[in-house]
Amino acid sequence: MSEGSSWAVVFGGPSPEHEISILTGLQAERVLARAGHAVTPLYWAPTGGWFVVPSATEAKDYLNGAPSGARPVEVRVGADGGLFVKGRLRSERLTIDAALTCLHGGIGEGGGFAALFALLGIPTTGSTMYASALGMDKLAFGGVMEVAGVPTLPRVALEADVEPPFAGPYIVKPRFGGSSIGIEIVDDIVTARVLGRTSAHLRGGAVVEPFRGDLVDLNISFRTAPTLEVSDLERPLRRPDGAVYSYDEKYLGGSGEAAGLASAPREMPAQVPDEVTALAGTLARRVAAVTRLTGVVRVDFLYDPTSHELVVNEVNSVPGAMALYLWASRRDAAQVLVDALVEARDAPPVSAPSGFGSGAALRAAGGIAGKLVGLDGPRG
């Protein structure tokens, strides 16, 4: 049950996708508030500060940082950890039953936020830190898909002295990026390496894979509560020149309240054979099982309309607009978000157990000094 629950919506964060995270967070806050739920909007500034912000703020209110009326929040880690809203005389604990993460990219989507809130004892959507990190690491994710037998394109790390096992042209992506930011198409590996050294988005690590101009994008969402379920399948529409579906097309199209992901050009549902739609659902369920991602997740495919080849490209553990537009024909938007929050509160993902051991290793250790013998380097 969710009646009387106090939810938080967390957005912002230190990430290149900070602004899109704000948009997703404000949309999610509105969806929950309009459905009658108590919502605390919690803003993570790019400089690291945390703030409770007024309800129903607008995107423009964040142009210069935290909006007017924001109250600083102190994050305390320890035996009595939690979030505390700073007041004139004292700080008051912020009581939250579960937090909806709307953090895109960076350490927010990549597992850092999940780890922090686990230490604070606050349930949160968006999977464990382990699953979140896997979803953010394109090289690791591709490797796991390959080992699990899930069809995917070959993908390798961009290295200075190792040739890819496939011919160009190549698509070069940030290894740890969560969106279309920094993606480039190049003809040869030499150009890819130059980009790897000079692009601010690629210097932290990059991956290369074959660029297939004959493939189109297909997206589907899965959610894990109350049961594992998949959404409608969509086809985002690329530009006529066949270029990669860009960040601007995905997030900055339209104007006014219609701007953003919900107004991006798409074919919904995707006009593909029924067996392709069914296969997309099957593969999405496989991704869920293999990665252990929870909440509301989007899986991105590449599809060959001629041969009907379908491969998993990437996964988004915190999708733009929470992928609510993919569920619109099947589920109420507020219910999708509340189900994820209830799952986080009542059935959190199982993590590695913590606590004390039996003490056997400590009793048997003996003196630590004796264990340092031979570690003081070579002797002349």
Side-chain angles (χ1 to χ4, degrees), residues 347-374:
V350 178
S351 299
S354 61
F356 294 100
S358 65
L362 299 177
R363 285 191 291 269
I368 297 299
K371 297 186 177 298
L372 302 179
V373 174

Side-chain angles (χ1 to χ4, degrees), residues 216 218 233 235 267 269-278 280 303 305 308:
V216 300
L218 295 177
L233 183 68
R235 177 184 173 182
E267 188 178 84
Q271 299 304 300
V272 297
D274 291 344
E275 56 267 28
V276 174
T277 300
Y303 169 64
H308 302 304

Side-chain angles (χ1 to χ4, degrees), residues 240-258:
D241 60 9
V244 173
Y245 189 42
S246 71
Y247 178 87
D248 285 357
E249 290 172 301
K250 186 185 297 184
Y251 294 119
L252 305 183
S255 62
E257 291 189 358

Side-chain angles (χ1 to χ4, degrees), residues 294-343:
T294 56
V296 184
V297 179
R298 195 184 77 229
V299 181
D300 299 346
F301 300 98
L302 292 173
Y303 169 64
D304 185 340
T306 302
S307 68
H308 302 304
E309 174 191 16
L310 186 68
V311 298
V312 171
N313 185 30
E314 297 175 9
V315 68
N316 290 265
S317 61
V318 185
M322 299 308 295
L324 294 177
Y325 58 97
L326 293 175
W327 294 96
S329 70
R330 302 182 181 214
R331 297 286 179 260
D332 176 75
Q335 195 60 52
V336 171
L337 299 184
V338 170
D339 285 343
L341 285 161
V342 170
E343 177 187 33

Side-chain angles (χ1 to χ4, degrees), residues 128-199:
T128 64
M129 59 176 288
Y130 310 108
S132 297
L134 173 62
M136 184 60 62
D137 187 336
K138 291 182 175 66
L139 184 63
F141 175 77
V144 168
M145 292 300 100
E146 184 176 358
V147 169
V150 176
T152 187
L153 292 180
R155 178 181 295 166
V156 297
L158 176 63
E159 300 182 69
D161 54 358
V162 177
E163 297 295 314
F166 41 82
Y170 303 104
I171 183 166
V172 189
K173 304 177 180 179
R175 177 173 172 178
F176 303 105
S179 186
S180 305
I181 298 175
I183 292 179
E184 300 282 355
I185 299 171
V186 299
D187 291 326
D188 55 76
I189 196 63
V190 173
T191 305
R193 287 172 178 147
V194 171
L195 283 172
R197 295 191 301 269
T198 59
S199 170

